[in-house]
PDB file of all heavy atoms in Angstrom:
ATOM      1  N   ILE A   2      64.134  97.790  54.233  1.00 96.00           N
ATOM      2  CA  ILE A   2      64.814  99.079  54.389  1.00 96.00           C
ATOM      3  C   ILE A   2      63.831 100.106  54.953  1.00 96.00           C
ATOM      4  O   ILE A   2      62.704 100.239  54.474  1.00 96.00           O
ATOM      5  CB  ILE A   2      65.365  99.572  53.028  1.00 96.00           C
ATOM      6  CG1 ILE A   2      66.380  98.576  52.471  1.00 96.00           C
ATOM      7  CG2 ILE A   2      65.978 100.969  53.170  1.00 96.00           C
ATOM      8  CD1 ILE A   2      67.593  98.355  53.364  1.00 96.00           C
ATOM      9  N   PRO A   5      63.380 107.158  57.322  1.00 97.00           N
ATOM     10  CA  PRO A   5      62.810 108.105  58.289  1.00 97.00           C
ATOM     11  C   PRO A   5      62.143 109.271  57.562  1.00 97.00           C
ATOM     12  O   PRO A   5      62.690 109.805  56.606  1.00 97.00           O
ATOM     13  CB  PRO A   5      64.027 108.575  59.092  1.00 97.00           C
ATOM     14  CG  PRO A   5      65.221 108.242  58.265  1.00 97.00           C
ATOM     15  CD  PRO A   5      64.855 107.184  57.287  1.00 97.00           C
ATOM     16  N   LEU A   6      60.957 109.620  58.014  1.00 98.00           N
ATOM     17  CA  LEU A   6      60.165 110.683  57.391  1.00 98.00           C
ATOM     18  C   LEU A   6      59.823 111.736  58.439  1.00 98.00           C
ATOM     19  O   LEU A   6      59.900 111.467  59.643  1.00 98.00           O
ATOM     20  CB  LEU A   6      58.869 110.089  56.822  1.00 98.00           C
ATOM     21  CG  LEU A   6      59.049 108.956  55.792  1.00 98.00           C
ATOM     22  CD1 LEU A   6      57.742 108.194  55.584  1.00 98.00           C
ATOM     23  CD2 LEU A   6      59.573 109.518  54.480  1.00 98.00           C
ATOM     24  N   LEU A  22      51.490 124.237  71.587  1.00 96.00           N
ATOM     25  CA  LEU A  22      52.575 124.217  70.591  1.00 96.00           C
ATOM     26  C   LEU A  22      51.990 124.719  69.274  1.00 96.00           C
ATOM     27  O   LEU A  22      51.121 124.078  68.693  1.00 96.00           O
ATOM     28  CB  LEU A  22      53.113 122.807  70.404  1.00 96.00           C
ATOM     29  CG  LEU A  22      54.234 122.318  71.315  1.00 96.00           C
ATOM     30  CD1 LEU A  22      54.661 120.916  70.896  1.00 96.00           C
ATOM     31  CD2 LEU A  22      55.430 123.264  71.316  1.00 96.00           C
ATOM     32  N   SER A  52      62.168 105.025  69.647  1.00 97.00           N
ATOM     33  CA  SER A  52      61.902 106.040  68.637  1.00 97.00           C
ATOM     34  C   SER A  52      60.938 105.503  67.589  1.00 97.00           C
ATOM     35  O   SER A  52      60.367 104.416  67.735  1.00 97.00           O
ATOM     36  CB  SER A  52      63.211 106.441  67.962  1.00 97.00           C
ATOM     37  OG  SER A  52      63.626 105.398  67.085  1.00 97.00           O
ATOM     38  N   ALA A  56      61.229  99.082  62.967  1.00 98.00           N
ATOM     39  CA  ALA A  56      61.574  97.844  62.259  1.00 98.00           C
ATOM     40  C   ALA A  56      62.476  98.159  61.078  1.00 98.00           C
ATOM     41  O   ALA A  56      62.660  99.324  60.708  1.00 98.00           O
ATOM     42  CB  ALA A  56      60.313  97.130  61.798  1.00 98.00           C
ATOM     43  N   TRP A  68      63.847  98.869  66.912  1.00 98.00           N
ATOM     44  CA  TRP A  68      63.820  98.296  68.265  1.00 98.00           C
ATOM     45  C   TRP A  68      62.832  97.137  68.405  1.00 98.00           C
ATOM     46  O   TRP A  68      62.924  96.361  69.346  1.00 98.00           O
ATOM     47  CB  TRP A  68      63.547  99.373  69.308  1.00 98.00           C
ATOM     48  CG  TRP A  68      62.284 100.166  69.105  1.00 98.00           C
ATOM     49  CD1 TRP A  68      62.149 101.323  68.384  1.00 98.00           C
ATOM     50  CD2 TRP A  68      60.980  99.860  69.624  1.00 98.00           C
ATOM     51  NE1 TRP A  68      60.845 101.751  68.417  1.00 98.00           N
ATOM     52  CE2 TRP A  68      60.105 100.872  69.174  1.00 98.00           C
ATOM     53  CE3 TRP A  68      60.467  98.839  70.415  1.00 98.00           C
ATOM     54  CZ2 TRP A  68      58.744 100.899  69.496  1.00 98.00           C
ATOM     55  CZ3 TRP A  68      59.113  98.860  70.737  1.00 98.00           C
ATOM     56  CH2 TRP A  68      58.267  99.882  70.282  1.00 98.00           C
ATOM     57  N   PHE A  85      50.019  97.871  57.275  1.00 98.00           N
ATOM     58  CA  PHE A  85      50.780  99.100  57.053  1.00 98.00           C
ATOM     59  C   PHE A  85      51.147  99.631  58.441  1.00 98.00           C
ATOM     60  O   PHE A  85      50.296 100.159  59.166  1.00 98.00           O
ATOM     61  CB  PHE A  85      49.908 100.106  56.297  1.00 98.00           C
ATOM     62  CG  PHE A  85      50.547 101.440  56.070  1.00 98.00           C
ATOM     63  CD1 PHE A  85      51.649 101.589  55.234  1.00 98.00           C
ATOM     64  CD2 PHE A  85      50.021 102.591  56.679  1.00 98.00           C
ATOM     65  CE1 PHE A  85      52.224 102.848  55.000  1.00 98.00           C
ATOM     66  CE2 PHE A  85      50.595 103.844  56.459  1.00 98.00           C
ATOM     67  CZ  PHE A  85      51.695 103.967  55.617  1.00 98.00           C
ATOM     68  N   GLY A  88      55.539 103.728  62.688  1.00 98.00           N
ATOM     69  CA  GLY A  88      56.284 104.042  63.903  1.00 98.00           C
ATOM     70  C   GLY A  88      56.385 105.551  64.018  1.00 98.00           C
ATOM     71  O   GLY A  88      56.617 106.227  63.012  1.00 98.00           O
ATOM     72  N   VAL A 119      54.881 117.203  78.488  1.00 98.00           N
ATOM     73  CA  VAL A 119      53.883 116.541  77.651  1.00 98.00           C
ATOM     74  C   VAL A 119      53.357 115.306  78.382  1.00 98.00           C
ATOM     75  O   VAL A 119      54.028 114.769  79.260  1.00 98.00           O
ATOM     76  CB  VAL A 119      54.483 116.127  76.284  1.00 98.00           C
ATOM     77  CG1 VAL A 119      54.662 117.334  75.380  1.00 98.00           C
ATOM     78  CG2 VAL A 119      55.811 115.402  76.471  1.00 98.00           C
ATOM     79  N   THR A 120      52.157 114.912  78.018  1.00 98.00           N
ATOM     80  CA  THR A 120      51.524 113.764  78.679  1.00 98.00           C
ATOM     81  C   THR A 120      51.216 112.682  77.644  1.00 98.00           C
ATOM     82  O   THR A 120      51.302 112.918  76.437  1.00 98.00           O
ATOM     83  CB  THR A 120      50.201 114.185  79.348  1.00 98.00           C
ATOM     84  OG1 THR A 120      49.293 114.592  78.322  1.00 98.00           O
ATOM     85  CG2 THR A 120      50.410 115.338  80.336  1.00 98.00           C
ATOM     86  N   LEU A 148      55.414 102.025  78.455  1.00 98.00           N
ATOM     87  CA  LEU A 148      54.797 103.328  78.193  1.00 98.00           C
ATOM     88  C   LEU A 148      54.062 103.325  76.855  1.00 98.00           C
ATOM     89  O   LEU A 148      53.058 104.026  76.683  1.00 98.00           O
ATOM     90  CB  LEU A 148      55.900 104.399  78.223  1.00 98.00           C
ATOM     91  CG  LEU A 148      55.528 105.845  77.943  1.00 98.00           C
ATOM     92  CD1 LEU A 148      54.398 106.333  78.832  1.00 98.00           C
ATOM     93  CD2 LEU A 148      56.752 106.745  78.121  1.00 98.00           C
ATOM     94  N   TYR A 160      40.101 108.103  71.511  1.00 98.00           N
ATOM     95  CA  TYR A 160      39.635 108.108  70.118  1.00 98.00           C
ATOM     96  C   TYR A 160      38.965 106.772  69.811  1.00 98.00           C
ATOM     97  O   TYR A 160      39.413 106.024  68.938  1.00 98.00           O
ATOM     98  CB  TYR A 160      40.814 108.348  69.167  1.00 98.00           C
ATOM     99  CG  TYR A 160      41.416 109.730  69.311  1.00 98.00           C
ATOM    100  CD1 TYR A 160      42.571 109.934  70.064  1.00 98.00           C
ATOM    101  CD2 TYR A 160      40.807 110.834  68.703  1.00 98.00           C
ATOM    102  CE1 TYR A 160      43.110 111.204  70.210  1.00 98.00           C
ATOM    103  CE2 TYR A 160      41.344 112.112  68.853  1.00 98.00           C
ATOM    104  CZ  TYR A 160      42.486 112.288  69.601  1.00 98.00           C
ATOM    105  OH  TYR A 160      43.016 113.543  69.749  1.00 98.00           O
ATOM    106  N   ARG A 165      40.434  99.887  66.119  1.00 98.00           N
ATOM    107  CA  ARG A 165      39.674  98.633  66.200  1.00 98.00           C
ATOM    108  C   ARG A 165      40.247  97.693  67.266  1.00 98.00           C
ATOM    109  O   ARG A 165      39.518  96.924  67.878  1.00 98.00           O
ATOM    110  CB  ARG A 165      39.668  97.925  64.829  1.00 98.00           C
ATOM    111  CG  ARG A 165      39.028  98.756  63.703  1.00 98.00           C
ATOM    112  CD  ARG A 165      38.417  97.893  62.588  1.00 98.00           C
ATOM    113  NE  ARG A 165      39.295  96.870  62.052  1.00 98.00           N
ATOM    114  CZ  ARG A 165      40.195  97.063  61.066  1.00 98.00           C
ATOM    115  NH1 ARG A 165      40.315  98.260  60.510  1.00 98.00           N
ATOM    116  NH2 ARG A 165      40.944  96.076  60.641  1.00 98.00           N
ATOM    117  N   PHE A 183      61.306 105.531  91.801  1.00 98.00           N
ATOM    118  CA  PHE A 183      62.464 105.281  90.930  1.00 98.00           C
ATOM    119  C   PHE A 183      62.621 106.406  89.912  1.00 98.00           C
ATOM    120  O   PHE A 183      63.737 106.872  89.650  1.00 98.00           O
ATOM    121  CB  PHE A 183      62.326 103.926  90.215  1.00 98.00           C
ATOM    122  CG  PHE A 183      62.731 102.736  91.045  1.00 98.00           C
ATOM    123  CD1 PHE A 183      61.835 101.725  91.342  1.00 98.00           C
ATOM    124  CD2 PHE A 183      64.034 102.623  91.531  1.00 98.00           C
ATOM    125  CE1 PHE A 183      62.211 100.622  92.105  1.00 98.00           C
ATOM    126  CE2 PHE A 183      64.420 101.521  92.283  1.00 98.00           C
ATOM    127  CZ  PHE A 183      63.507 100.525  92.572  1.00 98.00           C
ATOM    128  N   ASN A 211      76.834 112.618  83.677  1.00 97.00           N
ATOM    129  CA  ASN A 211      76.888 111.792  84.889  1.00 97.00           C
ATOM    130  C   ASN A 211      75.494 111.515  85.422  1.00 97.00           C
ATOM    131  O   ASN A 211      75.174 110.387  85.797  1.00 97.00           O
ATOM    132  CB  ASN A 211      77.723 112.488  85.973  1.00 97.00           C
ATOM    133  CG  ASN A 211      79.192 112.534  85.607  1.00 97.00           C
ATOM    134  OD1 ASN A 211      79.685 111.681  84.879  1.00 97.00           O
ATOM    135  ND2 ASN A 211      79.894 113.543  86.105  1.00 97.00           N
ATOM    136  N   SER A 226      64.626  91.252  85.600  1.00 96.00           N
ATOM    137  CA  SER A 226      64.212  90.539  86.800  1.00 96.00           C
ATOM    138  C   SER A 226      65.441  90.237  87.649  1.00 96.00           C
ATOM    139  O   SER A 226      66.556  90.103  87.147  1.00 96.00           O
ATOM    140  CB  SER A 226      63.497  89.241  86.438  1.00 96.00           C
ATOM    141  OG  SER A 226      64.423  88.287  85.957  1.00 96.00           O
ATOM    142  N   LEU A 238      83.179  88.143  89.465  1.00 95.00           N
ATOM    143  CA  LEU A 238      84.147  89.241  89.444  1.00 95.00           C
ATOM    144  C   LEU A 238      84.870  89.249  88.103  1.00 95.00           C
ATOM    145  O   LEU A 238      85.050  88.208  87.478  1.00 95.00           O
ATOM    146  CB  LEU A 238      85.166  89.075  90.571  1.00 95.00           C
ATOM    147  CG  LEU A 238      84.646  89.283  91.989  1.00 95.00           C
ATOM    148  CD1 LEU A 238      85.560  88.593  92.997  1.00 95.00           C
ATOM    149  CD2 LEU A 238      84.548  90.774  92.313  1.00 95.00           C
ATOM    150  N   SER A 319      48.479  94.442  84.970  1.00 98.00           N
ATOM    151  CA  SER A 319      47.732  94.125  83.744  1.00 98.00           C
ATOM    152  C   SER A 319      46.356  93.574  84.092  1.00 98.00           C
ATOM    153  O   SER A 319      45.363  93.889  83.435  1.00 98.00           O
ATOM    154  CB  SER A 319      48.505  93.116  82.894  1.00 98.00           C
ATOM    155  OG  SER A 319      49.564  93.753  82.213  1.00 98.00           O
ATOM    156  N   TYR A 335      43.672  88.003  77.157  1.00 98.00           N
ATOM    157  CA  TYR A 335      44.738  88.296  78.123  1.00 98.00           C
ATOM    158  C   TYR A 335      45.647  87.092  78.270  1.00 98.00           C
ATOM    159  O   TYR A 335      45.181  85.956  78.406  1.00 98.00           O
ATOM    160  CB  TYR A 335      44.143  88.660  79.497  1.00 98.00           C
ATOM    161  CG  TYR A 335      45.217  88.874  80.550  1.00 98.00           C
ATOM    162  CD1 TYR A 335      46.245  89.795  80.331  1.00 98.00           C
ATOM    163  CD2 TYR A 335      45.218  88.149  81.744  1.00 98.00           C
ATOM    164  CE1 TYR A 335      47.240  89.987  81.265  1.00 98.00           C
ATOM    165  CE2 TYR A 335      46.212  88.341  82.692  1.00 98.00           C
ATOM    166  CZ  TYR A 335      47.222  89.253  82.453  1.00 98.00           C
ATOM    167  OH  TYR A 335      48.213  89.444  83.375  1.00 98.00           O
ATOM    168  N   ASP A 339      55.121  83.315  80.607  1.00 98.00           N
ATOM    169  CA  ASP A 339      56.107  82.849  81.581  1.00 98.00           C
ATOM    170  C   ASP A 339      57.503  83.092  80.995  1.00 98.00           C
ATOM    171  O   ASP A 339      58.009  82.280  80.228  1.00 98.00           O
ATOM    172  CB  ASP A 339      55.877  81.361  81.846  1.00 98.00           C
ATOM    173  CG  ASP A 339      56.621  80.889  83.076  1.00 98.00           C
ATOM    174  OD1 ASP A 339      57.378  81.694  83.662  1.00 98.00           O
ATOM    175  OD2 ASP A 339      56.453  79.719  83.445  1.00 98.00           O
ATOM    176  N   ALA A 346      61.252  91.803  78.729  1.00 97.00           N
ATOM    177  CA  ALA A 346      60.741  90.697  77.910  1.00 97.00           C
ATOM    178  C   ALA A 346      59.911  91.199  76.739  1.00 97.00           C
ATOM    179  O   ALA A 346      59.899  90.582  75.679  1.00 97.00           O
ATOM    180  CB  ALA A 346      59.922  89.740  78.768  1.00 97.00           C
TER     181      ALA A 346
END
Side-chain angles (χ1 to χ4, degrees):
Chain A
I2 299 300
L6 302 165
L22 272 183
S52 74
W68 56 270
F85 177 67
V119 285
T120 65
L148 178 53
Y160 294 99
R165 300 208 309 274
F183 279 120
N211 291 332
S226 73
L238 290 158
S319 283
Y335 176 55
D339 194 355

